[in-house]
Amino acid sequence: MADEDSKTMTAPALRARAPSSRFVEVVSPGTPSPFRAREGVVRIGREDGNEIVIRDPFVSRCHLEIRIFPHGVEAVDLDTKNGTHFQGARIRELALKDEVSLILGKQVTIRVRVGDDAKAHRPDPTGSELVGNSPPMERLRAALGRLSPSPLTVLIEGETGTGKEVLARSIHALSPRSNKPFVVFDCAAVSPNLIASELFGHLKGAYTGAVSSSEGAFRHAHTGTLFLDEVGELPLELQPALLRALEARQVKPVGSESYQAVDVRVVAATNRSLEAEVEAGRFRKDLLFRLAVGRLKVPPLRARAEDIPELARHFAANLGGTLAPAVLDALSVQPWPGNVRELRNAVERAVMLAGGAGCLVTSLDDDLDFDDPPEGSSRADTLAPGSLVPPPELLAMQFQDAKQVAVDTFEREYLLKLFEAAGYNLSQAARVSGVHRRYLRELFKKHGLDTTALRALKNR
Ligand SMILES: Nc1ncnc2c1ncn2[C@@H]1O[C@H](COP(=O)(O)OP(=O)(O)OP(=O)(O)O)[C@@H](O)[C@H]1O
Ligand SMILES: [Mg+2]
């Protein structure tokens, strides 16, 4: 079992410390956005109370800990029945760096990425260079070639998992700043009351817990590129400061009276429509114009299905595996609502289940036995005004916590209504929602909803 010392190093206990620039990001099934931590222990297991809960029968109640130390990061399997596997081998402890995939129990793949905002990043050696030669990708490459060498601010738009970060890294790599820092700042991952300090820095004592001064992402990126991910999440009250940083190339650290000059090229990304955010009064129009001097739209994977075989081969080759033609065909006809990230996860899982490096994947396991692609999903922007006004209980919580509660509540209600409307048929529900059937099943599991029991209830 895990030793108790490590268990006491929880993130909440250390929250008052100045944030570290190293972070760990965990992508797990059923969780739409990565879980990010900068310190302490991230616990993963089937039971509530873990930072990441995975409702899978082969995952133990407390399965894995990811321990973040000043000198490094390690994954520790908590003496589980079905184990944790890395590249086909069962592990007890594993030092983590860059990006790895781990299998928990028999079938759950998680990806763990160790990054450092303060360090210059080269294009990801684990294989995130831009793959794909479809006409939309070729157009994107041409635009990349034109925009990258310039100092222009660029806004990258696209659905989740389409490769916006890969593109941002490519812009940096193709720019004259390529040997300077590339700093990622995820506006959605930092609690709103810390964003100003993490972006612009702070002076020692500027607020409770600011035990030392900090440079902030802009100054870390000085002479290089700052990638502002999920820029649509930036609180309205911080937007003027960002506008000023972009226009005057100056930032004012929290607690300071004076501005400091910065030489930073900004690339921003969003999976929202910023025009719609402007309409809704949540995003400043002048900031949108300032960010979108250069604008790149990454098409969803379903709009460039011809890229799927090449991408799939690329991801399999990263793990030393090969995909049989039938597997490539099967992958090519899926809708991939989670785009390239979902494809990557599916391929890596298939390679690992087939034995890892040196294997030939000849078929996809049952869970990858996809349903028919949805027949064109439509998006209705038809919510009644005010229907998403948060209740007072949520307003009393920290934004990230409130958002989590709201998303969980929405997901559960959505699943129940969707299932009912689809006549309690999972395939039909997948078609209507445009969500992959496997992912939908995971969502039901995550919310403790038993589809068989729901179906039986309806017949009573
Ligand atoms: N064209 C591509 N070539 C190779 N790998 C890609 C490509 N596009 C995406 N990927 C891979 O897919 C995964 C998701 O890409 P990325 O993180 O850039 O997506 P994103 O658009 O930033 O997603 P999100 O909106 O969820 O943050 C990464 O593992 C990345 O390496
Ligand atoms: Mg991203």
Side-chain angles (χ1 to χ4, degrees), residues 311-354:
L311 281 162
R313 273 195 296 267
H314 169 77
F315 296 137
N318 279 346
L319 295 180
T322 311
L323 303 176
V327 170
L328 289 171
D329 288 347
L331 293 171
S332 297
V333 295
Q334 301 313 316
W336 302 114
N339 292 294
V340 185
R341 178 180 295 110
E342 190 186 7
L343 172 68
R344 178 176 187 160
N345 288 341
V347 169
E348 289 186 350
R349 193 172 122 90
V351 170
M352 302 239 209
L353 290 177

Side-chain angles (χ1 to χ4, degrees), residues 75 91 105 181 322 360:
I91 58 141
T322 311
L360 172 67

Side-chain angles (χ1 to χ4, degrees), residues 37-69:
R38 291 186 183 273
E39 53 207 358
V41 178
V42 180
R43 282 161 298 207
I44 305 172
R46 208 176 64 232
E47 180 173 86
D48 286 337
N50 286 290
E51 275 76 25
I52 298 176
V53 178
I54 298 179
R55 308 241 186 251
D56 180 276
F58 302 109
V59 169
S60 296
R61 288 186 299 146
C62 297
H63 196 107
L64 186 80
E65 283 188 355
I66 295 173
R67 300 178 183 169
I68 309 168
F69 299 108

Side-chain angles (χ1 to χ4, degrees), residues 25 34 113 160-161 163-166 186 227 229-230 269 271 341:
E25 215 170 63
R113 178 171 153 228
T160 183
K164 296 185 294 296
E165 182 163 345
V166 180
D186 185 343
F227 175 46
D229 205 1
E230 311 280 8
N271 52 25
R341 178 180 295 110

Side-chain angles (χ1 to χ4, degrees), residues 146-159:
R146 286 194 301 274
L147 281 175
S148 301
S150 77
L152 294 181
T153 304
V154 179
L155 178 65
I156 305 174
E157 295 164 289
E159 290 179 14

Side-chain angles (χ1 to χ4, degrees), residues 17 24 31 36 49 53 63 72 96 104 125 133 160 179 200 209 217 240 287 295 348 384 444:
R17 286 198 349 207
V24 169
T31 315
R36 215 182 230 243
V53 178
H63 196 107
L96 301 178
L104 309 194
N133 295 307
T160 183
N179 59 350
F200 308 123
L287 180 57
R295 202 162 190 173
E348 289 186 350
F444 274 99

